[in-house]
Amino acid sequence: MTDAVGSIDMPDAEDAAPDSKKTRKGGKRGKKGPLGRLALFYRQVVAELRKVVWPTRSQLSTYTTVVIVFVVIMIGLVTVIDYGFQEAVKYVFG
């Protein structure tokens, strides 16, 4: 018995699995040895680093100052919270 889509015995053309799989030939990577692949990786890393927008010296100084101030504030906050917990534990366990 068939319906509008197909039958149980015969699947639709879209659902059918392809009989042959396409195999990849390897391209550039398949033809080079380990040292060739390492050299290719190094060249790609250098090419990507050339695309990076590096900060100016003043921007770097500003970012560094912001980070150091933030870290000092967080150290102070954690110190105050730690001291509060210490006093609370001393009070409870005495």
Side-chain angles (χ1 to χ4, degrees):
M1 179 171 174
T2 63
D3 56 5
V5 178
S7 70
I8 296 173
D9 298 330
M10 299 190 65
D12 293 336
E14 294 113 23
D15 296 336
D19 293 334
S20 63
K21 293 182 180 180
K22 292 183 180 180
T23 58
R24 185 173 173 182
K25 298 290 182 181
K28 292 181 181 178
R29 288 185 281 171
K31 297 177 183 175
K32 296 182 180 180
L35 292 178
R37 288 194 306 256
L38 187 63
L40 176 65
F41 174 74
Y42 177 73
R43 285 193 306 269
Q44 289 174 346
V45 167
V46 170
E48 288 297 321
L49 285 176
R50 286 189 183 134
K51 296 178 187 177
V52 173
V53 178
W54 298 98
T56 62
R57 186 173 293 274
S58 64
Q59 289 174 333
L60 189 62
S61 299
T62 302
Y63 298 156
T64 303
T65 303
V66 167
V67 168
I68 290 174
V69 167
F70 177 76
V71 168
V72 167
I73 289 172
M74 292 308 294
I75 288 172
L77 182 66
V78 169
T79 301
V80 168
I81 291 172
D82 184 51
Y83 180 74
F85 280 132
Q86 177 184 351
E87 292 300 318
V89 168
K90 280 184 183 177
Y91 178 76
V92 170
F93 296 110

